[in-house]
Amino acid sequence: FDDTFNFSPDWIKKFHDELKKRKLKISYRCLARVMITQETLKLMKDSGCYHISFGVESASDRVLKAVKKHITKEQIIKAVNWAHELGIFTKVFIMLGLPEEKREDVKETEQLITTLPIDEIAMGYTSLLPGTELFMQSQIGNDIWFDETVDFQNPQGISNTPPHKGLLPYQEFVKLKDEMRVKFFLVNFGRNMKMVRKLMHSKIDVLKYALRLTAYLESRVKSRFDLPWQALLILPFLKTYLFVKKFNK
């Protein structure tokens, strides 16, 4: 398992050439950094890459610099667009609760993921694991900005618990995360339906999907927004209805 597949562009070139030399046809998915060139992505696509996951974390250059991510917003935009143009399914990882992150930074990340041609997102909260530089930084001074109740022996608990106590309260993080997830889903609904359609073989499949979609959004949206949650279901329900009509033709 290689969690940074594009660490060495030269290795990717050798990997590609060796596959061609042996006349091997494979398909694979990988994790990669957005510090990647268009030429490298083309080699990956030609060697069988169909799915790539980028560790984006944030769209704020200020936050990215604070956590020493060594990437920029511009690199994120280029990498995602290039992958999309090549027909590679693109997933990005987002982290909430990073040091120095404010509401406007979260909104900047939301704006990015809802405008780029991203196929899937995975969001989690920043985890302060003992022994890491980030954890040590949190111990300096009296401003302890992580949740001291987190059980570090429970990975599930760590990833689902917002660490901040100072910049944003717990419920604010939960609300921002849910807002971002729903807005991403609504923006990408049409494109996602094209992929879903390939997996459907009957009208029953379509109706089952519509019901699961409605139940999912209700559970995610209810009591999370100031607007009535039913209002947010109108768009996907309407698009599902139109999709069903088109499917029946």
Side-chain angles (χ1 to χ4, degrees), residues 229-241:
W229 65 268
Q230 292 90 339
L232 293 176
L233 295 179
I234 293 177
L235 181 58
F237 183 80
L238 176 62
K239 287 189 174 182
T240 303
Y241 171 74

Side-chain angles (χ1 to χ4, degrees), residues 106-121:
V106 177
K107 287 300 181 181
E108 185 176 357
T109 301
E110 179 184 284
Q111 191 274 337
L112 184 76
I113 67 172
T114 53
T115 54
L116 286 179
I118 298 169
D119 298 295
E120 183 183 355
I121 59 172

Side-chain angles (χ1 to χ4, degrees), residues 12 58 75 81 93 104 113 115-116 187 197 205 221 240-241:
I12 290 180
S58 173
Q75 288 176 317
N81 281 326
F93 292 103
E104 51 264 36
I113 67 172
T115 54
L116 286 179
V187 168
R197 185 174 183 181
D205 290 336
V221 178
T240 303
Y241 171 74

Side-chain angles (χ1 to χ4, degrees), residues 148-202:
E148 297 170 286
T149 65
V150 174
D151 179 8
F152 289 107
Q153 302 302 317
N154 180 5
Q156 189 67 22
I158 293 175
S159 63
N160 290 325
T161 305
H164 271 277
K165 282 189 172 181
L167 298 183
L168 292 171
Y170 174 89
Q171 290 302 325
E172 185 75 5
F173 268 115
V174 174
K175 183 177 180 180
L176 287 171
K177 182 180 179 181
D178 285 343
E179 285 180 348
M180 193 184 303
R181 190 185 301 277
V182 171
K183 288 181 181 179
F184 173 81
F185 181 85
L186 294 178
V187 168
N188 288 275
F189 188 86
R191 188 154 51 89
N192 289 339
M193 284 302 294
K194 292 180 180 179
M195 292 187 291
V196 171
R197 185 174 183 181
K198 295 179 181 179
L199 304 176
M200 296 182 177
H201 304 287
S202 68

Side-chain angles (χ1 to χ4, degrees), residues 116-134:
L116 286 179
I118 298 169
D119 298 295
E120 183 183 355
I121 59 172
M123 293 189 293
Y125 301 114
T126 304
S127 301
L128 297 177
L129 299 178
T132 62
E133 181 178 350
L134 187 57

Side-chain angles (χ1 to χ4, degrees), residues 4 15 17 36 42 45-46 100 185 195 197 199 204:
T4 313
F15 174 74
D17 293 346
I36 194 169
K42 288 179 179 179
K45 172 66 175 180
D46 192 49
E100 301 186 23
F185 181 85
M195 292 187 291
R197 185 174 183 181
L199 304 176
I204 298 298

Side-chain angles (χ1 to χ4, degrees), residues 16-246:
H16 169 273
D17 293 346
E18 190 65 23
L19 286 177
K20 297 301 179 181
K21 178 181 178 181
R22 301 188 185 190
K23 298 182 180 180
L24 296 176
K25 293 184 179 181
I26 65 172
S27 59
Y28 64 92
R29 54 191 298 171
C30 66
L31 302 177
R33 289 176 59 82
V34 297
M35 298 167 60
I36 194 169
T37 66
Q38 192 171 18
E39 290 69 27
T40 297
L41 276 170
K42 288 179 179 179
L43 288 175
M44 291 170 63
K45 172 66 175 180
D46 192 49
S47 64
C49 180
Y50 68 92
H51 183 300
I52 188 167
S53 298
F54 291 117
V56 169
E57 324 315 352
S58 173
S60 168
D61 282 324
R62 183 178 61 81
V63 173
L64 291 171
K65 184 177 181 180
V67 297
K68 302 179 182 179
K69 184 67 177 177
H70 301 299
I71 64 172
T72 65
K73 182 177 181 179
E74 182 180 0
Q75 288 176 317
I76 295 171
I77 294 172
K78 287 182 177 180
V80 171
N81 281 326
W82 287 338
H84 175 71
E85 291 170 2
L86 291 169
I88 301 176
F89 186 96
T90 307
K91 175 180 180 179
V92 301
F93 292 103
I94 302 296
M95 293 176 64
L96 296 179
L98 291 164
E100 301 186 23
E101 187 174 54
K102 302 177 181 178
R103 166 179 271 274
E104 51 264 36
D105 297 309
V106 177
K107 287 300 181 181
E108 185 176 357
T109 301
E110 179 184 284
Q111 191 274 337
L112 184 76
I113 67 172
T114 53
T115 54
L116 286 179
I118 298 169
D119 298 295
E120 183 183 355
I121 59 172
M123 293 189 293
Y125 301 114
T126 304
S127 301
L128 297 177
L129 299 178
T132 62
E133 181 178 350
L134 187 57
F135 184 88
M136 298 303 293
Q137 289 176 351
S138 72
Q139 308 296 300
I140 300 175
N142 297 319
D143 184 20
I144 299 177
W145 52 271
F146 69 96
D147 189 340
E148 297 170 286
T149 65
V150 174
D151 179 8
F152 289 107
Q153 302 302 317
N154 180 5
Q156 189 67 22
I158 293 175
S159 63
N160 290 325
T161 305
H164 271 277
K165 282 189 172 181
L167 298 183
L168 292 171
Y170 174 89
Q171 290 302 325
E172 185 75 5
F173 268 115
V174 174
K175 183 177 180 180
L176 287 171
K177 182 180 179 181
D178 285 343
E179 285 180 348
M180 193 184 303
R181 190 185 301 277
V182 171
K183 288 181 181 179
F184 173 81
F185 181 85
L186 294 178
V187 168
N188 288 275
F189 188 86
R191 188 154 51 89
N192 289 339
M193 284 302 294
K194 292 180 180 179
M195 292 187 291
V196 171
R197 185 174 183 181
K198 295 179 181 179
L199 304 176
M200 296 182 177
H201 304 287
S202 68
K203 291 180 288 185
I204 298 298
D205 290 336
V206 177
L207 293 176
K208 285 181 178 179
Y209 176 80
L211 290 174
R212 288 197 297 268
L213 167 64
T214 302
Y216 170 79
L217 287 180
E218 178 180 353
S219 66
R220 283 288 180 179
V221 178
K222 195 172 183 180
S223 301
R224 298 293 193 193
F225 299 92
D226 296 330
L227 295 174
W229 65 268
Q230 292 90 339
L232 293 176
L233 295 179
I234 293 177
L235 181 58
F237 183 80
L238 176 62
K239 287 189 174 182
T240 303
Y241 171 74
L242 294 175
F243 174 78
V244 172
K245 288 190 65 176
K246 184 176 181 180

